[in-house]
Amino acid sequence: MGVRFEELAWRETPIGEISLRRRHDPALDREVYEVKLDDEFLMSSLFPVAEIELARLGLAPLAGTALDVVVGGLGLGYTARTALEDPRVRSLVVVEAIEDVIDWHRRGLLPFASGLADDPRTRFVRADFFAAVADGAGFDPDEAGRRFHAILLDVDHSPRHVLHPSHAPFYTADGLRRLADLLHPDGVFALWSNDPPDTDFQRVLTGVFPTSLAHVVRFPNPLQGRESANTVYVARR
């Protein structure tokens, strides 16, 4: 058995103390990687199913063989890594506000995300996703307003439970219209949420995008001995 608990990285950020830690779970006999913001758990390698499905569901409606994709929020890398498994993806811009999170991947601290940082299609952009949408500059520092075929977002807990108050305007009709301007025609916006489908937010989505669906993604929760669920919203311009 390896070390029972190890803090791999830690940093004070504008939204709180973020840390990456690894622990051995004796009940499951496996290594578990977790990200915490202050005392709150943000993500765990025990529950990657919905993050993986965010990429799969977000890319599934798209036609074409040369897709340009944005992932907002790098985290443990599951969404970005899954997007790269789609051979149609030509380029992947990963927008992450915290440089240390990008550094975790460049240093190879997350073995299940290996290959993400080294893939020539990947470009890490250190930026505030929500500010980039609000000011219209977009996600490519070399091309303001560049459009993409898919934008996959996993930062906040849900549209109602945001990590910082500055994120809240994004989930309004005005915020989503600014995002839609950064998509090609027929492009897809997909969003991960920890909450069940939110009728009010779905109403906002359908006011901006011609089509939208809320997918409930279920997965086993070994810590609680029951099934858990997340939501993936998929809206098409």
Side-chain angles (χ1 to χ4, degrees):
M1 183 186 299
V3 177
R4 288 290 300 271
F5 173 86
E6 183 180 7
E7 188 171 74
L8 300 175
W10 175 94
R11 177 72 65 181
E12 181 72 46
T13 78
I15 60 173
E17 297 177 359
I18 193 164
S19 62
L20 172 67
R21 66 184 202 170
R22 178 179 62 202
R23 64 180 176 85
H24 181 81
D25 189 311
L28 301 174
D29 192 25
R30 60 184 287 189
E31 298 297 307
V32 179
Y33 291 78
E34 297 166 326
V35 179
K36 291 184 68 179
L37 182 65
D38 293 328
D39 294 325
E40 186 174 11
F41 285 95
L42 288 185
M43 58 197 72
S44 168
S45 62
L46 282 176
F47 315 113
V49 176
E51 287 86 348
I52 291 169
E53 287 303 305
L54 173 61
R56 291 177 177 168
L57 291 168
L59 297 180
L62 294 169
T65 57
L67 303 180
D68 299 318
V69 179
V70 170
V71 168
L74 175 55
L76 294 175
Y78 285 106
T79 300
R81 191 71 189 84
T82 303
L84 288 177
E85 291 173 0
D86 189 321
R88 300 174 300 156
V89 173
R90 172 175 59 186
S91 71
L92 178 70
V93 174
V94 182
V95 181
E96 172 56 54
I98 302 171
E99 180 66 34
D100 293 72
V101 177
I102 296 172
D103 187 56
W104 300 345
H105 290 267
R106 287 179 170 152
R107 291 166 55 195
L109 297 181
L110 302 164
F112 44 82
S114 63
L116 172 59
D118 298 330
D119 194 299
R121 294 172 292 170
T122 303
R123 182 181 185 186
F124 293 123
V125 174
R126 186 190 173 215
D128 182 327
F129 178 96
F130 303 96
V133 173
D135 65 19
F139 310 115
D140 187 338
D142 299 329
E143 185 182 341
R146 177 186 172 193
R147 291 187 173 187
F148 294 85
H149 299 95
I151 299 174
L152 317 174
L153 178 60
D154 177 5
V155 173
D156 293 312
H157 295 303
S158 74
R160 291 182 182 270
H161 300 100
V162 297
L163 295 181
H164 192 274
S166 65
H167 300 179
F170 171 80
Y171 299 101
T172 66
D174 286 344
L176 292 172
R177 287 190 190 100
R178 292 187 181 95
L179 177 88
D181 288 341
L182 299 171
L183 286 169
H184 288 297
D186 294 325
V188 169
F189 167 55
L191 171 71
W192 176 93
S193 172
N194 192 48
D195 289 349
D198 184 321
T199 301
D200 289 340
F201 179 65
Q202 287 179 272
R203 189 176 297 114
V204 176
L205 270 179
T206 56
V208 175
F209 294 91
T211 62
S212 67
L213 293 170
H215 301 267
V216 177
V217 179
R218 304 184 186 279
F219 52 90
N221 186 328
L223 296 182
Q224 299 178 350
R226 61 176 178 82
E227 187 179 70
S228 292
N230 294 155
T231 301
V232 174
Y233 299 94
V234 178
R236 194 164 190 186
R237 187 177 180 206

